[in-house]
């Protein structure tokens, strides 16, 4: 939970604010504060304005906004924050108006639902203000600029907003408060009476976009164009099969029609499992391809257009022996199988075995099946193109969504309901009322709800439908026992507005098209990320007037909570730290938002702490899925290329020496000598992370040519922008000769663990492999491939880092990385603990949230004081005249201190061994004091470390809140 910023005891609020203002408005060398200094904000570089406003809301003790225009599509994430503030007793005021009729009656109705919000209607003509004022302890912050409270303004548009903080008695604050006081006095309280009057006189404004006349010509969008290019290349290469993965609602049918039009087949066959889909697809193909209606026909139970040029068939009819026999093996030169994830079924297999077209095209939104069907094999592992959900949202191909993760109902006894609870608890009147209250509070886009509710049990679905209906929300339950006719009738009634909700048990995960859906409600355990995305996707198809979809997920106390942020962010990396960050911080995909309330966040983090994302079982599953996808043994670079498990996860696994040893566990034949195993382990464990490209570039040269001159190596460094100093040249030599690792590591040195001898030898001109490595790489193709894969993957991962400096701010490093990247001659990470002073460098490692107050490091209160400095202490016993302290203090207050301080911070011990690099820091003159710490009152020296590069709000929230 985000905590309010508080000034340290004894610190002057005035001094901190004065320095922040001077930093922003006079001289950037003043000790500024990232969260208090004046700043110009926009929506660039993933730092949307909404994230700044959200943070201010979470730490404020009250707020007043004067904002002219508000849109319903920004109110859902706002309501999530307001619900958390209500639990803390924090309230606010919004002053808005009816200027130009921009604000719809829906906006005012939704604002009235927020209990801790007062809304006032400005009476002045032409009210067009755009200002946000937040009250904090001892100061206030104002955001003033061009941004209204609309989705486009806060998430997408180019906006300029000035943020200024000042003491409560400052002239600027007084001026802003006077303006707000006048607005308050001259405004009218929003109530039901005013809203009814406004509703009666409101005329929707006509937006320029509404006047445009849409062309009847259908042309491919950018993603469809890219997919068509790949399909054309497959055909040109003489391949006969290809698969396109296209998220639901992204124009998959039109893409297929464009592909067929491009191929110009003599005859074409379209195969799908439902007649309704076949009929709709026929219409779409005819719109794209054109030609007489007689060219298009159906092959279904009730219709047999045998001679149609473009034939649309259901697989149930097509696969019947008498039907398929009538159609010869070469009757069609192009066949498209829609919903191709079904191809393992016997009916589809009969079709695939019988026909021999020039090209098979498979199309699906869900190729990765929870039942382990190998969809890719049916199409010769030719994945022509993927249009994933996140890409489609970024491209505006789908309706945006606002996901809200809220905790499920808590009983009076304090028990959190989940879907394993008894039926009478799941359908208890109190729980149903709670669910309906949440649905009403977070709302929907449109005049009435059209919702699809997923629950766990058939009895639950029927009971919920009855209680929803009794409460005035007409609903019907549908399960797999219902006939297709009853299902279609229910969908028609929902689309006609006669029903508000369809409640089902996994029935509509796929194969259902209800474009008008404006709510997706999840009242069940998330067992599978695939199913979760299928259910989410039901509501994302675009529909006239549907500006967004509200997704309400009632999160109970179950072990798979952690799948939710991973699925929403399409994070398959199995990196725990990334998963925690995705849970703590709000997600934004295009103009869609991902929001977890405070309690739901805590539940998911607890679930993550109890889950081993990178277990061997998980890695085996990931391996098999990727092998099925590409049709061969996958290597580390394949995991990177296809967005699967992060290669670093294999490298960091203590049970694996290298990826070759994992292949052995998977039953693959890999033969390596003991020495080759040790060398490959070294490259994997020490270099594959890509945190420095220097060694990898040298190994790449040696793998390709056997030798490399120093001149050519430096040219390669220069080509990628890598820094080049005598120290780094010596460090690279120390690493690759293994002298860096000549330190004790258990029963043997690390040098011995990695082979005991230098990987390379120096020549008068440069470098070459040692004799044994040269021989082994030349004689063992498996070894050569694994080495090349590790080096190639490492070089690819190195693109995530700035090669022009030792460390990239905002990225993670462990102590061993730091020793290597500081060019130290030995790996001294084991005894380093909190810091080490050597060779003019001092890396400092801080764990901010201590788990146990009795731990040794817990006595050092590394308090973040003003957004740019931390109070830090040396180890004890240390005194002001200790040699180590004197080294640290040499040159303090000058432009050239004797020691460069580098600050590495992790949130807690649960984050593992890696620390985020925050940048260099300087000791604040006058802050150095000798103090007695801990119960034994041992002497240590405390000082303020001032970051040279202020924290970003995102990093502040991730590490320190």
């Amino acid at each position: 939970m985000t905590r309010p910023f508080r000034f340290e005891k004894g610190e002057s609020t005035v001094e901190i604010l004065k320095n922040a203002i001077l930093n922003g408005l006079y001289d950037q060398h003043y000790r500024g504060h990232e969260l208090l200094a004046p700043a110009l904000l926009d929506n660039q570089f993933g730092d949307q304005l909404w994230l700044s406003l959200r943070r201010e809301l979470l730490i404020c003790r009250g707020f007043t906004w004067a904002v002219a225009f508000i849109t319903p599509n920004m109110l859902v994430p706002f309501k999530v924050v307001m619900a958390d503030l209500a639990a803390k007793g924090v309230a606010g005021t919004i002053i808005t108006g009816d200027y130009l009729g921009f604000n719809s009656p829906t906006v005012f109705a939704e604002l009235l639902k927020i209990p801790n919000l007062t809304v006032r209607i400005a009476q002045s003509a032409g009210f067009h203000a755009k200002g946000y004022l937040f009250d904090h302890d001892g100061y206030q912050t104002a955001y003033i600029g061009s941004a209204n409270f609309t989705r486009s303004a806060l998430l997408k548009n180019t906006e300029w907003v000035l943020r200024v903080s000042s003491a409560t008695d400052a002239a600027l604050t007084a001026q802003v408060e006077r303006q707000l006081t006048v607005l308050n006095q001259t405004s009218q309280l929003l109530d039901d009476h005013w809203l009814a009057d406004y509703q009666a006189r409101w005329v929707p404004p006509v937006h320029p976009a509404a006047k445009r006349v849409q062309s009847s010509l259908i042309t491919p969008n950018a993603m469809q164009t890219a997919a068509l290019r790949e399909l054309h290349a497959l055909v040109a290469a003489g391949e006969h099969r290809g698969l396109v993965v296209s998220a639901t609602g992204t124009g998959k049918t039109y893409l297929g029609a464009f592909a067929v039009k491009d191929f110009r087949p003599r005859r074409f066959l379209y195969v799908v499992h439902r007649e309704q889909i076949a009929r709709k697809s026929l219409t779409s193909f005819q719109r794209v391809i054109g030609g007489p209606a007689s060219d298009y026909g159906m092959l279904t139970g009730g219709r047999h257009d045998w001679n149609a040029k473009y034939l649309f068939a259901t697989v149930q009819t097509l696969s019947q022996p008498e039907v398929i026999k009538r159609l010869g093996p070469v009757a069609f030169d192009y066949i498209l199988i829609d919903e191709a994830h079904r191809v393992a079924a016997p009916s589809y297999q009969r079709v695939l075995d019988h026909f021999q077209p020039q090209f098979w095209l498979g199309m699906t939104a869900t190729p990765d099946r929870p039942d382990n069907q190998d969809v890719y094999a049916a199409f010769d592992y030719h994945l022509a193109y993927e249009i994933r959900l996140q890409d489609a949202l970024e491209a505006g191909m789908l309706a945006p969504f606002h996901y809200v993760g809220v905790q499920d109902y808590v009983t009076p006894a304090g028990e959190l309901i989940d879907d394993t609870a008894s039926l009478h608890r799941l359908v208890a009147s109190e729980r149903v009322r709670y669910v309906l209250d949440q649905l009403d509070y977070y709302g929907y886009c449109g005049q009435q709800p059209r919702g699809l509710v997923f629950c766990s049990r058939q009895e639950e679905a029927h009971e919920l439908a009855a209680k929803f209906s009794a409460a005035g929300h007409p609903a019907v339950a549908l399960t797999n026992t219902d006939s297709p006719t009853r299902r279609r009738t229910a969908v028609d009634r929902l689309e006609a507005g006669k029903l508000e909700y369809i409640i089902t048990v996994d029935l509509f995960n796929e194969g259902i098209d209800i474009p008008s859906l404006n709510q997706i409600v999840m009242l069940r355990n998330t067992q599978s990320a695939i199913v979760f995305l299928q259910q989410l996707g039901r509501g994302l198809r675009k529909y006239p007037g549907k500006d967004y979809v509200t997704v309400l997920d009632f999160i109970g106390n179950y072990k798979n909570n952690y799948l939710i942020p991973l699925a929403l962010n399409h994070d398959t990396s199995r990196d725990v730290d990334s998963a925690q960050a995705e849970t703590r911080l709000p997600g934004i995909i295009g103009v869609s938002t991902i929001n977890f309330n405070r309690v739901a966040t805590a539940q998911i983090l607890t679930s993550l702490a109890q889950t081993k994302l990178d277990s061997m079982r998980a890695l085996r599953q990931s391996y098999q899925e990727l092998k099925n996808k590409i049709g061969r043994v996958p290597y580390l670079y394949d995991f990177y290329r296809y967005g699967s498990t992060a290669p670093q996860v294999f490298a960091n696994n203590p049970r694996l020496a290298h990826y070759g040893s994992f292949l052995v566990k998977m039953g693959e034949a890999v033969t390596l000598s003991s020495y080759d195993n040790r060398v490959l382990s070294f490259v994997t464990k020490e270099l594959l992370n890509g945190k420095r490209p220097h060694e990898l570039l040298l190994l790449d040269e040696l793998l390709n040519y056997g030798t490399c001159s120093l001149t050519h190596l430096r040219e390669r460094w220069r080509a990628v922008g890598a820094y080049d100093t005598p120290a780094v040249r010596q460090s690279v030599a120390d690493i690759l000769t293994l002298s860096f690792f000549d330190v004790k590591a258990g029963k043997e040195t690390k040098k011995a663990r990695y082979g005991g001898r230098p990987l390379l030898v120096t020549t008068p001109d440069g470098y070459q492999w040692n004799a044994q490595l040269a021989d082994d790489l030349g004689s063992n193709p498996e070894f050569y491939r694994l080495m090349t894969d590790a080096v190639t993957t490492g070089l690819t991962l190195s693109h995530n880092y700035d090669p022009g400096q030792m460390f990239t701010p905002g990225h993670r490093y462990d102590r061993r990385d730091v020793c290597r990247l500081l060019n130290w001659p030995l790996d001294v990470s084991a005894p380093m603990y909190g810091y080490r002073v050597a060779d003019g460098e001092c890396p400092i490692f801080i764990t901010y949230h201590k788990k146990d107050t009795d731990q040794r490091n817990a006595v050092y209160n590394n308090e973040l004081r003003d957004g740019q400095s931390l109070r830090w202490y040396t180890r004890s016993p240390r005194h002001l005249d200790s040699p180590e302290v004197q080294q640290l203090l040499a040159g303090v207050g000058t432009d050239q201190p004797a020691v460069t301080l580098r600050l590495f911070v992790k949130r807690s011990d649960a984050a593992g061994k890696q620390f985020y690099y925050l940048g260099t820091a300087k000791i604040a003159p006058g802050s150095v004091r000798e103090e007695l710490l801990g119960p034994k009152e041992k002497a240590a020296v405390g000082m303020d470390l001032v970051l040279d590069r202020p924290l970003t709000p995102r990093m502040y929230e991730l590490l320190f809140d």
Side-chain angles (χ1 to χ4, degrees):
M1 181 64 188
T2 301
R3 300 181 302 169
F5 169 78
R6 290 185 175 88
F7 297 109
E8 185 76 4
K9 289 182 179 179
E11 285 187 293
S12 166
T13 300
V14 174
E15 283 300 311
I16 292 175
L17 283 169
K18 184 173 76 173
N19 284 333
I21 293 168
L22 288 171
N23 171 270
L25 300 179
Y26 177 67
D27 186 340
Q28 62 181 328
H29 292 98
Y30 275 85
R31 183 174 165 182
H33 184 302
E34 175 61 24
L35 304 178
L36 296 180
L40 183 65
L41 306 178
D42 54 25
N43 286 319
Q44 303 302 310
F45 310 114
D47 204 11
Q48 289 87 350
L49 288 167
W50 165 239
L51 298 182
S52 294
L53 293 180
R54 175 185 176 275
R55 174 173 174 76
E56 293 286 352
L57 284 169
L58 289 172
I59 65 175
C60 75
R61 56 182 178 83
F63 65 90
T64 304
W65 295 357
V67 55
F69 298 157
I70 303 173
T71 52
N73 55 26
M74 200 59 218
L75 293 183
V76 175
F78 177 60
K79 288 177 180 178
V80 178
V81 179
M82 291 303 293
D84 279 340
L85 293 184
K88 298 194 303 181
V90 176
T93 298
I94 291 181
I95 304 170
T96 186
D98 57 3
Y99 182 51
L100 301 178
F102 182 93
N103 293 338
S104 68
T106 299
V107 164
F108 296 113
E110 292 300 314
L111 289 172
L112 279 174
K113 294 179 181 179
I114 305 174
N116 53 330
L117 180 69
T118 299
V119 182
R120 302 192 66 86
I121 308 301
Q123 300 300 296
S124 57
F127 175 75
H128 202 230
K130 304 171 188 66
Y132 306 80
L133 181 67
F134 300 89
D135 293 318
H136 299 289
D137 291 326
Y139 71 102
Q140 293 177 306
T141 300
Y143 291 70
I144 300 172
S146 64
N148 282 294
F149 198 69
T150 67
R151 185 177 68 191
S152 295
L154 298 185
L155 298 179
K156 183 177 66 174
N157 289 351
T158 299
E159 305 280 353
W160 281 10
V161 174
L162 183 64
R163 182 193 68 198
V164 180
S165 295
S166 66
T168 52
D169 58 350
L172 177 62
T173 299
Q175 183 180 3
V176 173
E177 287 198 317
R178 282 196 300 271
Q179 292 279 353
L180 292 174
T181 299
V182 172
L183 282 173
N184 261 301
Q185 292 173 346
T186 58
S187 62
Q188 176 181 346
L189 183 69
L190 171 63
D191 55 22
D192 292 334
H193 177 75
W194 185 92
L195 178 54
D197 176 71
Y198 184 66
Q199 179 94 47
R201 61 183 170 84
W202 181 66
V203 177
V206 178
H207 297 287
K211 299 179 180 179
R212 298 174 187 158
V213 178
Q214 297 295 324
S215 170
S216 59
L217 179 65
I218 302 174
T219 57
N221 59 39
M223 287 191 177
Q224 289 169 339
T225 298
L228 290 170
R229 186 165 52 247
E230 295 300 321
L231 283 171
H232 184 82
L234 266 182
V235 173
E239 302 295 346
H240 299 287
R241 300 190 181 208
L243 179 68
V244 169
V245 176
S246 182
T248 301
T250 56
K252 176 163 56 78
T253 303
Y254 279 131
L255 172 57
F258 289 128
V260 173
K261 183 178 181 180
D262 181 55
F263 191 89
R264 297 181 181 179
R266 174 182 52 83
R267 287 193 74 193
F268 162 73
L269 176 64
Y270 172 97
V271 186
V272 77
H273 66 291
R274 290 180 55 205
E275 182 175 346
Q276 180 192 13
I277 300 175
R279 289 186 181 279
K280 292 185 67 173
S281 296
L282 185 153
T283 302
S284 298
F285 272 67
Q286 189 172 9
R287 290 188 64 189
V288 170
I289 298 174
S294 59
D295 281 352
Y296 299 83
M298 299 284 295
L299 182 59
T300 63
R303 184 172 165 185
H304 298 77
D305 299 323
W306 299 108
N307 298 319
K309 180 178 180 179
Y310 303 102
L311 187 59
F312 293 77
T314 59
V315 69
Q316 295 87 343
T317 299
L318 179 65
S319 62
Q320 294 173 11
E322 64 275 12
V323 173
I324 204 168
K325 184 177 180 180
R326 181 165 177 175
L327 297 167
V330 293
F332 305 95
D333 43 356
Y334 199 107
I335 299 178
L336 189 158
I337 297 183
D338 203 353
E339 307 292 345
H341 52 273
R342 298 173 175 271
V343 293
S347 57
Y348 282 93
Q349 288 299 307
R350 285 195 293 273
V351 172
L352 287 165
D353 290 342
H354 176 75
F355 289 108
Q356 299 172 20
Q358 294 179 37
F359 196 79
W360 291 91
L361 174 60
M363 305 190 76
T364 179
T366 54
D368 303 314
R369 307 295 298 160
D371 52 13
N372 293 322
Q373 294 178 6
D374 191 352
V375 178
Y376 300 97
F379 298 94
D380 294 343
Y381 301 101
H382 292 143
L383 180 57
Y385 198 75
E386 284 189 86
I387 304 175
R388 291 291 189 178
L389 177 65
Q390 284 73 12
D391 299 326
L393 287 166
E394 293 279 4
M397 300 172 71
L398 300 173
F401 68 86
H402 291 302
Y403 170 92
V404 181
V406 299
Q407 75 272 25
D408 209 329
Y409 176 66
V410 178
T411 68
E415 178 188 1
L416 177 63
I417 289 291
D418 63 30
D419 63 354
T420 65
S422 60
L423 179 62
H424 80 273
R425 290 187 176 183
L426 291 175
V427 299
S429 297
E430 295 83 2
R431 190 206 186 206
V432 173
R433 183 71 264 161
Y434 172 78
V435 169
L436 289 173
D437 285 346
Q438 296 299 308
L439 296 182
D440 177 65
Y441 177 73
Y442 289 106
Y444 46 84
C445 177
Q447 297 302 310
Q448 72 171 68
R450 288 184 171 87
L452 188 57
V453 182
F454 294 96
C455 64
S456 300
R457 311 174 199 174
Q458 294 190 4
E459 301 93 333
E460 180 189 2
H462 287 287
E463 288 284 344
L464 289 175
K467 292 198 171 184
F468 273 43
S469 298
H473 299 280
V476 67
L478 289 180
T479 71
N480 57 12
T481 64
D482 292 305
S483 67
T485 300
R486 186 172 188 273
R487 298 177 196 176
R488 185 67 256 171
T489 299
V491 171
D492 290 342
R493 292 180 64 202
L494 185 78
E495 291 186 310
K498 297 178 182 179
L499 287 177
E500 291 186 3
Y501 294 98
I502 292 176
I503 303 176
T504 185
V505 184
D506 290 343
L507 180 63
F508 287 167
N509 291 355
E510 58 181 345
I512 184 67
D513 187 10
I514 314 176
S516 62
L517 284 175
N518 55 24
Q519 276 189 337
I520 298 292
V521 185
M522 299 179 179
L523 290 174
R524 81 293 165 271
N525 186 350
T526 299
Q527 293 286 359
S528 161
I530 295 171
V531 173
F532 178 88
L533 291 177
Q534 286 175 336
Q535 294 176 343
L536 173 67
R538 293 307 96 204
L540 300 185
R541 192 176 294 277
K542 287 189 171 183
Y543 183 76
K546 186 168 82 172
D547 193 39
Y548 64 95
V549 181
T550 304
V551 182
L552 267 293
D553 197 350
F554 291 82
I555 299 175
N557 185 26
Y558 51 84
K559 65 180 181 179
N560 288 333
N561 282 339
Y562 69 89
L563 289 173
I564 299 171
L566 301 184
L568 287 166
N569 291 283
H570 191 56
D571 182 357
T572 58
S573 69
R574 302 191 184 277
D575 182 88
V576 175
D577 203 69
S578 296
Q580 290 176 336
E582 288 158 356
T583 303
R584 294 183 187 280
L585 302 177
I588 297 175
I589 308 172
V591 291
S592 297
T593 64
I594 301 168
N595 314 271
F596 296 99
N597 74 2
R598 178 179 56 84
V599 177
T601 297
Q603 290 171 229
I604 293 172
L605 291 173
T606 299
S607 175
L608 272 170
Q610 299 170 350
T611 302
K612 190 167 178 56
L613 293 179
D614 58 353
S615 68
M616 284 301 300
R617 179 181 178 183
L619 296 185
R620 287 176 182 270
Q621 179 183 344
S622 180
Y623 170 88
Q624 196 59 53
E625 289 172 353
L626 186 54
K627 186 177 182 180
N628 290 343
K629 188 173 189 175
I630 63 178
R632 59 170 172 79
V633 171
Y635 288 84
L636 288 173
Y637 185 76
D638 294 311
F639 283 95
Y640 171 84
R641 177 186 175 192
Y642 290 98
S644 186
T645 299
Q648 303 94 307
V649 172
F650 292 95
N652 295 335
N653 191 305
R655 296 176 60 187
L656 298 174
H658 49 74
Y659 187 66
S661 61
F662 175 76
L663 290 179
V664 171
K665 290 180 180 292
M666 295 303 295
E668 306 293 348
V670 178
T671 303
L672 300 175
S673 70
S674 174
Y675 178 65
D676 295 346
N677 269 301
R678 291 172 180 261
V679 170
L680 193 54
S681 177
F682 158 69
V683 175
T684 302
K685 298 292 185 182
E686 303 296 340
L687 306 181
L688 182 132
N689 57 43
K691 294 177 182 180
R692 183 166 79 180
H694 297 69
E695 295 91 344
L696 291 163
L697 288 168
L698 175 51
L699 293 183
D700 185 59
E701 283 293 313
L702 295 178
L703 283 167
N704 283 293
Y705 306 107
T707 63
C708 179
S709 69
L710 178 59
T711 301
H712 184 64
L713 177 62
R714 295 180 67 186
E715 288 175 355
R716 287 209 64 179
W717 289 353
R718 188 161 49 249
V720 299
Y723 67 95
D724 181 1
T725 64
V728 78
R729 285 176 233 144
Q730 181 60 51
S731 175
V732 169
D734 291 341
I735 298 297
L736 296 180
T737 59
L738 301 185
S739 67
F740 176 78
F741 303 100
D742 200 5
V743 292
K744 198 71 174 174
K747 295 181 179 180
E748 61 180 353
T749 65
K750 269 196 171 182
K751 181 176 180 180
R753 183 182 300 171
Y754 289 149
R757 73 189 79 166
L759 274 70
L760 49 78
V761 294
T762 58
T763 66
D765 188 41
Y767 313 92
Q768 65 185 35
W769 294 120
N770 71 45
Q772 183 173 347
L773 259 183
D775 183 61
D776 290 358
L777 287 166
S779 61
N780 187 341
E782 292 172 310
F783 179 42
Y784 181 83
R785 179 162 190 173
L786 288 166
M787 279 283 285
T788 301
D789 177 52
V791 170
T792 300
T793 305
L795 283 173
T796 303
L797 295 175
S798 74
H799 298 159
N800 297 323
Y801 301 87
D802 182 355
Q805 52 185 333
M806 289 182 178
F807 304 95
T808 304
H811 286 256
R812 290 178 291 153
Y813 302 85
D814 62 24
R815 290 180 173 88
R816 189 174 67 225
D817 295 327
V818 172
C819 291
R820 175 167 71 99
L821 300 184
L822 284 175
N823 302 317
W824 285 351
L826 286 174
D827 175 10
V828 291
S829 57
M832 183 156 45
Y833 299 110
Y835 67 97
R836 185 174 190 266
V837 184
D839 302 326
E841 294 276 358
C842 179
I844 296 172
F845 299 89
I846 293 175
T847 303
Y848 193 69
H849 295 280
K850 275 70 173 184
K851 182 178 180 181
D852 185 348
T853 54
D854 293 330
Q855 288 180 354
R856 185 182 66 83
N857 67 345
V859 301
Y860 302 100
N861 182 21
N862 305 121
E863 181 71 28
L864 183 72
R865 293 212 164 178
D866 59 5
Q868 196 173 352
S869 68
L870 285 91
R871 187 67 180 171
W872 175 73
Y873 296 89
T874 64
R875 58 177 63 92
S876 60
R878 292 293 185 276
H879 305 277
L880 287 172
D881 58 357
S882 298
E884 179 184 85
V885 176
Q886 287 297 303
Q887 287 185 66
L888 289 171
L889 297 181
V892 167
T894 70
D895 291 335
Q896 293 185 327
V899 176
T900 300
L901 307 180
R902 299 184 185 274
L903 205 54
F904 298 85
V905 177
K906 64 180 178 180
R907 184 180 180 89
S908 67
D909 286 326
K913 296 181 179 180
Q914 303 217 62
F915 296 73
Y916 283 94
Y917 178 56
L918 302 188
T920 55
K922 292 184 175 62
I923 299 170
S927 71
V928 181
R929 296 189 299 274
E930 186 173 318
E931 303 178 31
L932 299 178
L933 302 178
K936 295 184 179 180
E937 295 191 333
K938 290 187 176 181
V941 177
M943 59 197 75
D944 288 351
L945 305 181
V946 184
L947 286 166
D948 293 324
R949 181 178 183 267
L951 289 174
T952 64
R954 182 177 178 85
M955 190 60 65
Y956 186 99
E957 188 169 350
L958 181 62
L959 290 177
F960 298 108
D961 283 340

